[in-house]
Amino acid sequence: QVQLVESGGGLVQAGGSLRLSCTASGSDSSINDMAWYRQAPGKQREFVAGISSGGITNYAYAARGRFTISRDNAKKAVYLQMDSLKPEDTAVYYCAAEYEFYYWGQGTQVTVSS
C-alpha cells in the first residue's frame, strides 16, 4: 500500500519561508510525476507545482518566482521550498505521486500570518 507522508508545515509570518517534504513508501515501482496541491478553507483543491521524473517543473501562476519544487528519486521524496510567503498561501498542502495510479498524502497545514 503506497503511503505519502508530508512534513514541514507550520505557522510563519508574511515574508517568511517554509520547506515542505513528502516521502513515499510502500512500493518498489518508480514514481512518474510528483506534485504539490493546496486547499484553503472554503475553496477547492488547487495545483501548486509539479515535477516529472526527469526534473521538468511547472508551477501555478501564484507560485512562480516564490516556490521551488524539487525531488530526490532515490529517496522517493518531493520538496517544496516556499519563500516570500503571503497570508493567501494559507492552506493545507498535499503532495501527490503518480505510480500506475495517483496517490495523495494526508496534508500538512501552512498558516501565514499578516
Side-chain angles (χ1 to χ4, degrees):
Q1 181 73 15
V2 172
Q3 286 191 318
L4 302 177
V5 179
E6 302 105 331
S7 62
L11 174 64
V12 64
Q13 289 189 332
S17 298
L18 283 175
R19 185 174 188 252
L20 306 183
S21 300
C22 173
T23 301
S25 63
S27 173
D28 291 331
S29 299
S30 298
I31 304 174
N32 298 316
D33 293 346
M34 303 186 81
W36 288 95
Y37 287 73
R38 68 186 182 186
Q39 187 167 18
K43 296 187 176 181
Q44 290 188 333
R45 189 172 300 189
E46 63 178 5
F47 172 81
V48 176
I51 185 167
S52 71
S53 57
I56 297 173
T57 60
N58 63 308
Y59 295 91
Y61 180 80
R64 289 176 197 167
R66 299 188 300 125
F67 294 2
T68 303
I69 189 171
S70 61
R71 66 188 283 174
D72 184 330
N73 291 332
K75 295 182 178 179
K76 298 195 172 185
V78 63
Y79 309 98
L80 187 68
Q81 177 66 40
M82 304 187 293
D83 298 318
S84 302
L85 283 162
K86 305 175 182 179
E88 51 264 43
D89 294 318
T90 295
V92 177
Y93 283 70
Y94 299 89
C95 74
E98 182 189 24
Y99 289 79
E100 181 182 6
F101 305 104
Y102 219 61
Y103 292 90
W104 296 90
Q106 82 288 349
T108 185
Q109 177 69 46
V110 171
T111 303
V112 184
S113 63
S114 57

